[in-house]
């Protein structure tokens, strides 16, 4: 979901900073609520772990550019289930920023668009989870269908935002449609892989009981 340099430039890039500011304010609100609920130390620890995971996924795993953006694992739904909404959002934003500052400075001008592409689908995933998962259901008890629905919600949001930025920056032309289609087709592999990873991680989580470092809903009703 790293938008390639030059896809959106000039004055149009301002929209990316505006949407990122909105996503950032929402993240601060979620973080404040989570700190009040479980304490600042727990929030900081879970956010730090999530950021490290994100940085590792983005920097260490293969991330080929396909058409207009890069294709790689994000595990947004895994981060959400394991650590909660606020730590996942903070981890995604922080991991992306650290990657840009240390390893890919050419991505920094697109940071606003890229962080929007990561966070807004995460917020949609949280909304979907409240409607797909019955109250009082620990995340480790989710069915494959529910995990697939959550992961598909997140990945569909990623592809939709990438398509939006590309059409916004380049216009709707045949060559642009082909590039977006190539990216979407390549992302099908991610959409299929991430639910399986989610299930594997949740299976492992059944044996973990560290209340400070994991989302409380992972094992308990609330």
């Amino acid at each position: 979901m790293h938008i390639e340099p030059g896809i959106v430039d000039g004055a149009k890039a301002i929209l990316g900073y505006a949407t990122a500011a909105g996503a950032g304010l929402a993240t601060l609100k979620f973080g404040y609520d989570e700190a009040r609920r479980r304490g600042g130390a727990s929030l900081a620890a879970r956010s730090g772990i999530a950021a490290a995971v994100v940085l590792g996924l983005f920097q260490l795993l293969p991330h080929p550019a396909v058409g207009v953006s890069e294709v790689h694992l994000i595990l947004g739904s895994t981060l959400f289930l394991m650590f909660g909404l606020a730590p996942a959002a903070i981890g995604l934003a922080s991991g992306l920023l650290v990657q840009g500052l240390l390893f890919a400075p050419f991505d920094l001008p697109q940071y606003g668009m890229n962080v929007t592409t990561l966070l807004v689908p995460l917020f949609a995933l949280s909304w979907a989870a409240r409607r797909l998962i019955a109250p009082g259901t620990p995340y480790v008890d989710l069915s494959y269908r529910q995990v697939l629905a959550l992961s598909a919600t997140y990945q569909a949001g990623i592809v939709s935002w990438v398509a939006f930025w590309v059409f916004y920056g380049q216009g709707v032309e045949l060559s642009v449609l082909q590039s977006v289609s190539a990216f979407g087709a390549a992302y099908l592999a991610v959409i299929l892989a991430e639910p399986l990873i989610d299930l594997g991680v949740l299976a492992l989580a059944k044996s973990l009981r560290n209340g400070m470092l994991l989302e409380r809903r992972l094992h308990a009703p609330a």
Side-chain angles (χ1 to χ4, degrees):
M1 38 47 59
H2 287 71
I3 299 294
E4 291 296 295
I7 296 293
V8 181
D9 53 17
K12 287 187 174 183
I14 295 175
L15 180 61
Y17 298 114
T19 57
L25 288 174
T27 299
L28 289 175
K29 173 61 167 59
F30 296 140
Y32 174 76
D33 292 343
E34 185 66 11
R36 292 188 62 186
R37 186 171 71 97
R38 295 192 56 187
S42 176
L43 173 64
R46 285 180 286 145
S47 299
I49 296 172
V53 171
V54 169
L55 181 61
L57 291 173
F58 287 1
Q59 189 60 34
L60 300 179
L61 294 184
H63 45 277
V66 178
V68 294
S69 185
E70 294 178 356
V71 173
H72 51 62
L73 291 175
I74 302 174
L75 299 184
S77 53
T78 299
L79 295 173
F80 169 79
L81 295 173
M82 293 291 291
F83 303 115
L85 175 58
I90 295 170
L92 286 166
S94 301
L96 181 66
L97 180 60
V98 171
Q99 186 202 30
L101 291 173
L102 298 183
F103 303 105
F106 49 84
D107 278 332
L108 288 176
Q110 292 81 242
Y111 179 78
M113 291 176 284
N114 290 332
V115 79
T116 300
T117 302
L118 289 175
L119 294 187
V120 176
L122 184 71
F123 302 154
L125 166 64
S126 177
W127 177 87
R130 292 194 297 270
R131 283 149 182 80
L132 291 173
I133 303 172
T137 303
Y139 290 150
V140 291
D141 294 333
L142 296 183
S143 67
Y144 178 78
R145 180 185 61 80
Q146 290 172 313
V147 173
L148 176 62
L150 293 177
S151 186
T153 297
Y154 187 71
Q155 297 302 331
I158 295 290
V159 174
S160 297
W161 271 101
V162 168
F164 169 78
W165 292 122
V166 175
F167 292 137
Y168 171 69
Q170 300 291 301
V172 181
E173 300 177 359
L174 180 59
S175 60
V176 178
L177 287 170
Q178 290 173 337
S179 295
V180 172
S181 297
F183 172 78
Y187 236 90
L188 285 176
V190 175
I191 294 173
L192 293 174
E194 291 211 357
L196 298 177
I197 296 173
D198 286 340
L199 287 173
V201 171
L202 288 176
L204 177 63
K206 292 178 183 289
S207 63
L208 300 176
R209 297 289 174 179
N210 190 327
M212 178 179 177
L213 298 181
L214 296 173
E215 164 64 19
R216 188 171 294 161
R217 179 75 183 275
L218 184 62
H219 293 102

